[in-house]
Amino acid sequence: MFKSKKGQYDIARKSIFWMIAGVVITITVLAFAMILSIYQGEVSTVPAEYEAKLTALRFVNTAECFTYQDLVTGRIESGVIDIDKFTQERLDDCYRSDSERGYSSFNFGLSLVGFDAIDVDSGEEKILMTNNFFNKVDFTLRFPVIVRSGSEEFSTQLLVFVQEGI
Amino acid sequence: MMKKIFGGKKGVQILFIVFELLIVLFVIFTLVKIAESYGSTTGTQKAILSKDLKMMVDTLVATPGDVVVEYPGDVSSYQFHLFQDHILVALYDEDKGFGISNYFSLPKGYKATGSVMESEKLCFVKQNTNMLLSNCV
């Protein structure tokens, strides 16, 4: 079929060209898809601070978390933290990111200024942490709160250390 | 005749040109298809809807008392399924596998359930610790 040397050379040249072109075309198509995918992600992105704040609002507004609830009337007092509820067990029940993919979602460390428990070994204040919080603090949210301890009330701040996905 | 065309050196060249044209057409077709799939608003819209509804769940969890919230906008082109740990949004005639999910965490004792399909309006109802996704009445 290809009797002359030039014919054979042409075939070899074209084959090499298409081998390289195949790789380049594949990379181009994948890059194009990736660029569009990133663009789509950017279009639908919500600022992390906003989303984290919506999630973290439960810590100061929800009776199933730390918010004080009057036992007689059942009224939930938003922004009032019941110091007896401010425990690690309570936080585990309040917010628990998925054990497998939870590291990629929001995780929180909570510090109630002036009311944190003291670590027996180090003597430092202990913060409450959600199950996938690894001390990688991306930003901090501050909620002015009232702490209710028995019949006494104190004004302070709840610091919420937010860890975005790792 | 065919042998005459494709048998010689010129025939091989024609074959290569046809092959190259086919490759170019294939690449153009693939790129247009990819662009079309991303360019259609449905994919982005599904992502936005599922994110919106996930944030709505978080907001309702942080809202004391019973609440009914209507999602602003016509959602008749989509189907929605609320599960205990995520919300799934897909086109109304689409398999759920092509839907977009957004995950959330509910406090212990909370229950989330409900589906909405082919309805213009979508409502979130929160009663005590129960959350229901339903058509608006």
Side-chain angles (χ1 to χ4, degrees):
Chain A
M1 191 175 174
F2 308 109
K3 286 173 189 165
S4 70
K5 281 204 170 179
K6 191 171 183 302
Q8 289 173 349
Y9 174 73
D10 278 350
I11 293 298
R13 198 179 58 173
K14 291 261 183 186
S15 302
I16 292 166
F17 168 79
W18 280 111
M19 271 196 287
I20 296 167
V23 173
V24 172
I25 288 167
T26 308
I27 290 170
T28 308
V29 170
L30 290 176
F32 186 60
M34 203 188 290
I35 288 166
L36 289 176
S37 175
I38 290 167
Y39 174 71
Q40 191 187 50
E42 282 174 1
V43 168
S44 58
T45 294
V46 174
E49 287 84 354
Y50 178 68
E51 201 181 339
K53 193 160 190 174
L54 285 181
T55 308
L57 272 171
R58 68 179 64 187
F59 301 135
V60 292
N61 284 339
T62 306
E64 285 75 18
C65 295
F66 312 120
T67 309
Y68 176 78
Q69 183 171 25
D70 192 298
L71 290 174
V72 180
T73 62
R75 185 179 160 194
I76 298 162
E77 296 187 17
S78 293
V80 179
I81 303 282
D82 186 340
I83 194 66
D84 294 331
K85 288 184 178 177
F86 197 73
T87 61
Q88 185 60 51
E89 292 73 30
R90 194 84 182 181
L91 177 60
D92 292 340
D93 289 345
C94 172
Y95 183 91
R96 191 165 191 82
S97 57
D98 189 272
S99 55
E100 286 177 15
R101 56 175 178 269
Y103 60 87
S104 63
S105 58
F106 287 117
N107 275 278
F108 305 97
L110 272 63
S111 170
L112 195 54
V113 179
F115 292 89
D116 287 330
I118 304 294
D119 189 82
V120 181
D121 299 326
S122 64
E124 291 177 359
E125 289 187 337
K126 271 198 303 189
I127 64 167
L128 307 186
M129 293 183 284
T130 58
N131 56 321
N132 279 301
F133 185 77
F134 300 111
N135 279 314
K136 176 188 161 284
V137 180
D138 292 301
F139 53 90
T140 304
L141 302 170
R142 293 166 193 273
F143 295 98
V145 292
I146 292 169
V147 173
R148 192 175 175 107
S149 175
S151 58
E152 289 184 294
E153 290 187 341
F154 308 91
S155 287
T156 185
Q157 275 193 328
L158 176 67
L159 303 182
V160 179
F161 306 109
V162 183
Q163 170 190 291
E164 288 185 74
I166 292 179
Chain B
M1 176 74 174
M2 291 293 279
K3 198 179 175 187
K4 202 174 179 184
I5 292 173
F6 297 112
K9 193 180 158 192
K10 199 159 188 173
V12 173
Q13 279 178 341
I14 292 169
L15 265 180
F16 263 111
I17 289 167
V18 170
F19 172 70
E20 284 165 6
L21 278 173
L22 283 175
I23 292 283
V24 169
L25 286 175
F26 174 74
V27 170
I28 291 170
F29 177 78
T30 310
L31 291 179
V32 168
K33 273 284 170 197
I34 291 170
E36 197 182 326
S37 69
Y38 280 104
S40 66
T41 53
T42 52
T44 311
Q45 197 63 31
K46 276 191 292 185
I48 291 169
L49 277 169
S50 72
K51 177 73 88 175
D52 275 357
L53 295 176
K54 182 255 177 192
M55 290 194 295
M56 211 177 238
V57 169
D58 283 333
T59 307
L60 290 184
V61 168
T63 308
D66 297 343
V67 191
V68 179
V69 184
E70 182 182 320
Y71 186 81
D74 181 356
V75 293
S76 53
S77 310
Y78 302 91
Q79 54 174 309
F80 303 87
H81 304 276
L82 181 64
F83 299 98
Q84 192 61 21
D85 65 344
H86 71 280
I87 178 125
L88 185 144
V89 180
L91 289 174
Y92 78 97
D93 56 351
E94 189 178 53
D95 187 87
K96 280 187 200 170
F98 293 104
I100 292 182
S101 292
N102 239 298
Y103 290 81
F104 50 77
S105 163
L106 292 176
K108 197 174 182 182
Y110 273 65
K111 286 190 171 60
T113 181
S115 293
V116 172
M117 294 179 83
E118 293 181 63
S119 169
E120 271 186 36
K121 304 277 184 188
L122 175 141
C123 275
F124 258 113
V125 181
K126 184 197 167 209
Q127 277 186 317
N128 297 319
T129 54
N130 295 318
M131 277 201 232
L132 179 69
L133 187 69
S134 68
N135 303 327
C136 299
V137 182

PDB file of all heavy atoms in Angstrom, chain A residues 56-83:
ATOM      1  N   ALA A  56     -24.580  28.608  63.115  1.00  0.00           N
ATOM      2  CA  ALA A  56     -24.163  28.826  64.503  1.00  0.00           C
ATOM      3  C   ALA A  56     -25.239  29.503  65.350  1.00  0.00           C
ATOM      4  O   ALA A  56     -25.159  29.468  66.579  1.00  0.00           O
ATOM      5  CB  ALA A  56     -22.888  29.668  64.527  1.00  0.00           C
ATOM      6  N   LEU A  57     -26.233  30.094  64.696  1.00  0.00           N
ATOM      7  CA  LEU A  57     -27.293  30.765  65.463  1.00  0.00           C
ATOM      8  C   LEU A  57     -28.022  29.813  66.398  1.00  0.00           C
ATOM      9  O   LEU A  57     -28.598  30.215  67.407  1.00  0.00           O
ATOM     10  CB  LEU A  57     -28.297  31.417  64.503  1.00  0.00           C
ATOM     11  CG  LEU A  57     -27.968  32.834  64.048  1.00  0.00           C
ATOM     12  CD1 LEU A  57     -28.920  33.267  62.946  1.00  0.00           C
ATOM     13  CD2 LEU A  57     -28.046  33.805  65.207  1.00  0.00           C
ATOM     14  N   ARG A  58     -27.975  28.519  66.079  1.00  0.00           N
ATOM     15  CA  ARG A  58     -28.652  27.540  66.930  1.00  0.00           C
ATOM     16  C   ARG A  58     -28.044  27.506  68.339  1.00  0.00           C
ATOM     17  O   ARG A  58     -28.717  27.163  69.295  1.00  0.00           O
ATOM     18  CB  ARG A  58     -28.586  26.137  66.292  1.00  0.00           C
ATOM     19  CG  ARG A  58     -27.187  25.555  66.267  1.00  0.00           C
ATOM     20  CD  ARG A  58     -27.152  24.176  65.659  1.00  0.00           C
ATOM     21  NE  ARG A  58     -27.538  24.202  64.239  1.00  0.00           N
ATOM     22  CZ  ARG A  58     -27.720  23.113  63.510  1.00  0.00           C
ATOM     23  NH1 ARG A  58     -27.584  21.917  64.060  1.00  0.00           N
ATOM     24  NH2 ARG A  58     -28.036  23.192  62.245  1.00  0.00           N
ATOM     25  N   PHE A  59     -26.763  27.871  68.438  1.00  0.00           N
ATOM     26  CA  PHE A  59     -26.110  27.818  69.745  1.00  0.00           C
ATOM     27  C   PHE A  59     -26.696  28.832  70.732  1.00  0.00           C
ATOM     28  O   PHE A  59     -26.578  28.667  71.933  1.00  0.00           O
ATOM     29  CB  PHE A  59     -24.594  28.068  69.593  1.00  0.00           C
ATOM     30  CG  PHE A  59     -23.911  27.066  68.699  1.00  0.00           C
ATOM     31  CD1 PHE A  59     -22.990  27.474  67.738  1.00  0.00           C
ATOM     32  CD2 PHE A  59     -24.182  25.715  68.812  1.00  0.00           C
ATOM     33  CE1 PHE A  59     -22.369  26.558  66.909  1.00  0.00           C
ATOM     34  CE2 PHE A  59     -23.565  24.777  67.987  1.00  0.00           C
ATOM     35  CZ  PHE A  59     -22.657  25.204  67.031  1.00  0.00           C
ATOM     36  N   VAL A  60     -27.271  29.908  70.188  1.00  0.00           N
ATOM     37  CA  VAL A  60     -27.824  30.938  71.081  1.00  0.00           C
ATOM     38  C   VAL A  60     -29.354  31.023  71.027  1.00  0.00           C
ATOM     39  O   VAL A  60     -29.954  31.768  71.798  1.00  0.00           O
ATOM     40  CB  VAL A  60     -27.240  32.343  70.755  1.00  0.00           C
ATOM     41  CG1 VAL A  60     -25.767  32.402  71.099  1.00  0.00           C
ATOM     42  CG2 VAL A  60     -27.463  32.722  69.309  1.00  0.00           C
ATOM     43  N   ASN A  61     -29.975  30.275  70.125  1.00  0.00           N
ATOM     44  CA  ASN A  61     -31.425  30.405  69.961  1.00  0.00           C
ATOM     45  C   ASN A  61     -32.218  29.131  70.176  1.00  0.00           C
ATOM     46  O   ASN A  61     -33.443  29.166  70.157  1.00  0.00           O
ATOM     47  CB  ASN A  61     -31.753  30.914  68.547  1.00  0.00           C
ATOM     48  CG  ASN A  61     -31.487  32.399  68.384  1.00  0.00           C
ATOM     49  OD1 ASN A  61     -31.436  33.123  69.360  1.00  0.00           O
ATOM     50  ND2 ASN A  61     -31.300  32.827  67.161  1.00  0.00           N
ATOM     51  N   THR A  62     -31.551  28.014  70.302  1.00  0.00           N
ATOM     52  CA  THR A  62     -32.267  26.736  70.314  1.00  0.00           C
ATOM     53  C   THR A  62     -32.163  26.062  71.685  1.00  0.00           C
ATOM     54  O   THR A  62     -31.055  25.856  72.195  1.00  0.00           O
ATOM     55  CB  THR A  62     -31.703  25.808  69.220  1.00  0.00           C
ATOM     56  OG1 THR A  62     -31.752  26.516  67.981  1.00  0.00           O
ATOM     57  CG2 THR A  62     -32.513  24.533  69.102  1.00  0.00           C
ATOM     58  N   ALA A  63     -33.312  25.709  72.211  1.00  0.00           N
ATOM     59  CA  ALA A  63     -33.335  25.086  73.546  1.00  0.00           C
ATOM     60  C   ALA A  63     -32.655  23.720  73.546  1.00  0.00           C
ATOM     61  O   ALA A  63     -32.119  23.283  74.556  1.00  0.00           O
ATOM     62  CB  ALA A  63     -34.774  24.945  74.014  1.00  0.00           C
ATOM     63  N   GLU A  64     -32.668  23.047  72.390  1.00  0.00           N
ATOM     64  CA  GLU A  64     -32.009  21.734  72.306  1.00  0.00           C
ATOM     65  C   GLU A  64     -30.487  21.892  72.332  1.00  0.00           C
ATOM     66  O   GLU A  64     -29.774  20.900  72.477  1.00  0.00           O
ATOM     67  CB  GLU A  64     -32.427  21.000  71.021  1.00  0.00           C
ATOM     68  CG  GLU A  64     -33.831  20.425  71.046  1.00  0.00           C
ATOM     69  CD  GLU A  64     -34.898  21.493  70.898  1.00  0.00           C
ATOM     70  OE1 GLU A  64     -34.573  22.615  70.435  1.00  0.00           O
ATOM     71  OE2 GLU A  64     -36.055  21.221  71.275  1.00  0.00           O
ATOM     72  N   CYS A  65     -30.020  23.138  72.168  1.00  0.00           N
ATOM     73  CA  CYS A  65     -28.578  23.401  72.285  1.00  0.00           C
ATOM     74  C   CYS A  65     -28.331  24.015  73.670  1.00  0.00           C
ATOM     75  O   CYS A  65     -28.460  23.306  74.653  1.00  0.00           O
ATOM     76  CB  CYS A  65     -28.108  24.304  71.150  1.00  0.00           C
ATOM     77  SG  CYS A  65     -28.283  23.494  69.526  1.00  0.00           S
ATOM     78  N   PHE A  66     -28.019  25.288  73.750  1.00  0.00           N
ATOM     79  CA  PHE A  66     -27.637  25.859  75.051  1.00  0.00           C
ATOM     80  C   PHE A  66     -28.604  26.921  75.574  1.00  0.00           C
ATOM     81  O   PHE A  66     -28.383  27.486  76.637  1.00  0.00           O
ATOM     82  CB  PHE A  66     -26.243  26.510  74.942  1.00  0.00           C
ATOM     83  CG  PHE A  66     -25.216  25.647  74.285  1.00  0.00           C
ATOM     84  CD1 PHE A  66     -24.580  26.055  73.115  1.00  0.00           C
ATOM     85  CD2 PHE A  66     -24.880  24.415  74.825  1.00  0.00           C
ATOM     86  CE1 PHE A  66     -23.627  25.253  72.503  1.00  0.00           C
ATOM     87  CE2 PHE A  66     -23.937  23.607  74.219  1.00  0.00           C
ATOM     88  CZ  PHE A  66     -23.309  24.023  73.056  1.00  0.00           C
ATOM     89  N   THR A  67     -29.618  27.218  74.814  1.00  0.00           N
ATOM     90  CA  THR A  67     -30.486  28.352  75.170  1.00  0.00           C
ATOM     91  C   THR A  67     -31.369  28.034  76.380  1.00  0.00           C
ATOM     92  O   THR A  67     -31.882  26.920  76.510  1.00  0.00           O
ATOM     93  CB  THR A  67     -31.359  28.735  73.956  1.00  0.00           C
ATOM     94  OG1 THR A  67     -30.506  28.882  72.839  1.00  0.00           O
ATOM     95  CG2 THR A  67     -32.100  30.029  74.192  1.00  0.00           C
ATOM     96  N   TYR A  68     -31.500  29.024  77.214  1.00  0.00           N
ATOM     97  CA  TYR A  68     -32.307  28.851  78.434  1.00  0.00           C
ATOM     98  C   TYR A  68     -33.781  28.727  78.081  1.00  0.00           C
ATOM     99  O   TYR A  68     -34.313  29.479  77.282  1.00  0.00           O
ATOM    100  CB  TYR A  68     -32.087  30.053  79.361  1.00  0.00           C
ATOM    101  CG  TYR A  68     -32.954  30.001  80.593  1.00  0.00           C
ATOM    102  CD1 TYR A  68     -32.624  29.172  81.657  1.00  0.00           C
ATOM    103  CD2 TYR A  68     -34.106  30.769  80.678  1.00  0.00           C
ATOM    104  CE1 TYR A  68     -33.431  29.110  82.787  1.00  0.00           C
ATOM    105  CE2 TYR A  68     -34.917  30.717  81.800  1.00  0.00           C
ATOM    106  CZ  TYR A  68     -34.578  29.886  82.852  1.00  0.00           C
ATOM    107  OH  TYR A  68     -35.378  29.831  83.958  1.00  0.00           O
ATOM    108  N   GLN A  69     -34.439  27.764  78.698  1.00  0.00           N
ATOM    109  CA  GLN A  69     -35.879  27.605  78.520  1.00  0.00           C
ATOM    110  C   GLN A  69     -36.544  27.587  79.887  1.00  0.00           C
ATOM    111  O   GLN A  69     -36.153  26.795  80.766  1.00  0.00           O
ATOM    112  CB  GLN A  69     -36.199  26.305  77.764  1.00  0.00           C
ATOM    113  CG  GLN A  69     -37.683  26.126  77.491  1.00  0.00           C
ATOM    114  CD  GLN A  69     -37.971  24.964  76.552  1.00  0.00           C
ATOM    115  OE1 GLN A  69     -37.186  24.033  76.453  1.00  0.00           O
ATOM    116  NE2 GLN A  69     -39.102  25.019  75.855  1.00  0.00           N
ATOM    117  N   ASP A  70     -37.522  28.443  80.037  1.00  0.00           N
ATOM    118  CA  ASP A  70     -38.242  28.500  81.317  1.00  0.00           C
ATOM    119  C   ASP A  70     -39.033  27.208  81.503  1.00  0.00           C
ATOM    120  O   ASP A  70     -39.838  26.825  80.651  1.00  0.00           O
ATOM    121  CB  ASP A  70     -39.194  29.708  81.310  1.00  0.00           C
ATOM    122  CG  ASP A  70     -39.742  29.998  82.691  1.00  0.00           C
ATOM    123  OD1 ASP A  70     -40.442  29.123  83.240  1.00  0.00           O
ATOM    124  OD2 ASP A  70     -39.469  31.082  83.212  1.00  0.00           O
ATOM    125  N   LEU A  71     -38.779  26.514  82.599  1.00  0.00           N
ATOM    126  CA  LEU A  71     -39.400  25.212  82.800  1.00  0.00           C
ATOM    127  C   LEU A  71     -40.903  25.322  83.037  1.00  0.00           C
ATOM    128  O   LEU A  71     -41.665  24.414  82.698  1.00  0.00           O
ATOM    129  CB  LEU A  71     -38.736  24.501  83.993  1.00  0.00           C
ATOM    130  CG  LEU A  71     -37.303  24.042  83.759  1.00  0.00           C
ATOM    131  CD1 LEU A  71     -36.698  23.478  85.033  1.00  0.00           C
ATOM    132  CD2 LEU A  71     -37.226  23.026  82.634  1.00  0.00           C
ATOM    133  N   VAL A  72     -41.337  26.446  83.604  1.00  0.00           N
ATOM    134  CA  VAL A  72     -42.759  26.600  83.923  1.00  0.00           C
ATOM    135  C   VAL A  72     -43.556  26.979  82.672  1.00  0.00           C
ATOM    136  O   VAL A  72     -44.549  26.339  82.323  1.00  0.00           O
ATOM    137  CB  VAL A  72     -42.948  27.675  85.029  1.00  0.00           C
ATOM    138  CG1 VAL A  72     -44.429  27.852  85.362  1.00  0.00           C
ATOM    139  CG2 VAL A  72     -42.156  27.274  86.270  1.00  0.00           C
ATOM    140  N   THR A  73     -43.096  28.020  81.991  1.00  0.00           N
ATOM    141  CA  THR A  73     -43.867  28.518  80.831  1.00  0.00           C
ATOM    142  C   THR A  73     -43.452  27.838  79.523  1.00  0.00           C
ATOM    143  O   THR A  73     -44.181  27.880  78.536  1.00  0.00           O
ATOM    144  CB  THR A  73     -43.655  30.029  80.659  1.00  0.00           C
ATOM    145  OG1 THR A  73     -42.253  30.266  80.407  1.00  0.00           O
ATOM    146  CG2 THR A  73     -44.076  30.791  81.901  1.00  0.00           C
ATOM    147  N   GLY A  74     -42.279  27.242  79.503  1.00  0.00           N
ATOM    148  CA  GLY A  74     -41.772  26.621  78.271  1.00  0.00           C
ATOM    149  C   GLY A  74     -41.181  27.630  77.311  1.00  0.00           C
ATOM    150  O   GLY A  74     -40.771  27.294  76.201  1.00  0.00           O
ATOM    151  N   ARG A  75     -41.128  28.894  77.733  1.00  0.00           N
ATOM    152  CA  ARG A  75     -40.641  29.953  76.847  1.00  0.00           C
ATOM    153  C   ARG A  75     -39.127  29.852  76.653  1.00  0.00           C
ATOM    154  O   ARG A  75     -38.385  29.659  77.621  1.00  0.00           O
ATOM    155  CB  ARG A  75     -41.006  31.305  77.458  1.00  0.00           C
ATOM    156  CG  ARG A  75     -40.651  32.460  76.583  1.00  0.00           C
ATOM    157  CD  ARG A  75     -41.060  33.761  77.225  1.00  0.00           C
ATOM    158  NE  ARG A  75     -40.305  34.831  76.597  1.00  0.00           N
ATOM    159  CZ  ARG A  75     -40.210  36.052  77.094  1.00  0.00           C
ATOM    160  NH1 ARG A  75     -40.800  36.349  78.218  1.00  0.00           N
ATOM    161  NH2 ARG A  75     -39.522  36.962  76.464  1.00  0.00           N
ATOM    162  N   ILE A  76     -38.718  29.966  75.390  1.00  0.00           N
ATOM    163  CA  ILE A  76     -37.284  29.917  75.073  1.00  0.00           C
ATOM    164  C   ILE A  76     -36.767  31.347  74.995  1.00  0.00           C
ATOM    165  O   ILE A  76     -37.333  32.170  74.266  1.00  0.00           O
ATOM    166  CB  ILE A  76     -37.058  29.193  73.727  1.00  0.00           C
ATOM    167  CG1 ILE A  76     -37.551  27.739  73.824  1.00  0.00           C
ATOM    168  CG2 ILE A  76     -35.587  29.229  73.324  1.00  0.00           C
ATOM    169  CD1 ILE A  76     -37.775  27.079  72.484  1.00  0.00           C
ATOM    170  N   GLU A  77     -35.724  31.643  75.752  1.00  0.00           N
ATOM    171  CA  GLU A  77     -35.197  33.011  75.770  1.00  0.00           C
ATOM    172  C   GLU A  77     -33.971  33.102  74.865  1.00  0.00           C
ATOM    173  O   GLU A  77     -32.869  32.698  75.249  1.00  0.00           O
ATOM    174  CB  GLU A  77     -34.871  33.425  77.206  1.00  0.00           C
ATOM    175  CG  GLU A  77     -36.122  33.479  78.072  1.00  0.00           C
ATOM    176  CD  GLU A  77     -35.868  34.050  79.452  1.00  0.00           C
ATOM    177  OE1 GLU A  77     -34.821  34.696  79.658  1.00  0.00           O
ATOM    178  OE2 GLU A  77     -36.718  33.823  80.322  1.00  0.00           O
ATOM    179  N   SER A  78     -34.200  33.623  73.661  1.00  0.00           N
ATOM    180  CA  SER A  78     -33.117  33.733  72.673  1.00  0.00           C
ATOM    181  C   SER A  78     -31.976  34.590  73.207  1.00  0.00           C
ATOM    182  O   SER A  78     -32.215  35.634  73.808  1.00  0.00           O
ATOM    183  CB  SER A  78     -33.644  34.372  71.391  1.00  0.00           C
ATOM    184  OG  SER A  78     -34.551  33.513  70.782  1.00  0.00           O
ATOM    185  N   GLY A  79     -30.775  34.150  72.994  1.00  0.00           N
ATOM    186  CA  GLY A  79     -29.611  34.931  73.406  1.00  0.00           C
ATOM    187  C   GLY A  79     -29.223  34.727  74.855  1.00  0.00           C
ATOM    188  O   GLY A  79     -28.269  35.336  75.322  1.00  0.00           O
ATOM    189  N   VAL A  80     -29.974  33.868  75.556  1.00  0.00           N
ATOM    190  CA  VAL A  80     -29.650  33.587  76.968  1.00  0.00           C
ATOM    191  C   VAL A  80     -29.126  32.154  77.057  1.00  0.00           C
ATOM    192  O   VAL A  80     -29.831  31.204  76.705  1.00  0.00           O
ATOM    193  CB  VAL A  80     -30.890  33.765  77.878  1.00  0.00           C
ATOM    194  CG1 VAL A  80     -30.524  33.448  79.324  1.00  0.00           C
ATOM    195  CG2 VAL A  80     -31.446  35.172  77.757  1.00  0.00           C
ATOM    196  N   ILE A  81     -27.891  32.021  77.483  1.00  0.00           N
ATOM    197  CA  ILE A  81     -27.264  30.694  77.577  1.00  0.00           C
ATOM    198  C   ILE A  81     -27.464  30.141  78.984  1.00  0.00           C
ATOM    199  O   ILE A  81     -27.163  30.831  79.965  1.00  0.00           O
ATOM    200  CB  ILE A  81     -25.740  30.784  77.285  1.00  0.00           C
ATOM    201  CG1 ILE A  81     -25.477  31.397  75.908  1.00  0.00           C
ATOM    202  CG2 ILE A  81     -25.073  29.427  77.452  1.00  0.00           C
ATOM    203  CD1 ILE A  81     -25.664  30.504  74.745  1.00  0.00           C
ATOM    204  N   ASP A  82     -27.960  28.938  79.053  1.00  0.00           N
ATOM    205  CA  ASP A  82     -28.098  28.246  80.337  1.00  0.00           C
ATOM    206  C   ASP A  82     -26.751  27.572  80.623  1.00  0.00           C
ATOM    207  O   ASP A  82     -26.349  26.652  79.911  1.00  0.00           O
ATOM    208  CB  ASP A  82     -29.217  27.201  80.216  1.00  0.00           C
ATOM    209  CG  ASP A  82     -29.523  26.529  81.543  1.00  0.00           C
ATOM    210  OD1 ASP A  82     -28.657  26.582  82.446  1.00  0.00           O
ATOM    211  OD2 ASP A  82     -30.622  25.962  81.662  1.00  0.00           O
ATOM    212  N   ILE A  83     -26.068  28.044  81.640  1.00  0.00           N
ATOM    213  CA  ILE A  83     -24.713  27.553  81.910  1.00  0.00           C
ATOM    214  C   ILE A  83     -24.691  26.040  82.190  1.00  0.00           C
ATOM    215  O   ILE A  83     -23.712  25.360  81.879  1.00  0.00           O
ATOM    216  CB  ILE A  83     -24.043  28.355  83.063  1.00  0.00           C
ATOM    217  CG1 ILE A  83     -22.532  28.092  83.116  1.00  0.00           C
ATOM    218  CG2 ILE A  83     -24.689  28.030  84.401  1.00  0.00           C
ATOM    219  CD1 ILE A  83     -21.767  28.595  81.943  1.00  0.00           C
TER     220      ILE A  83
END
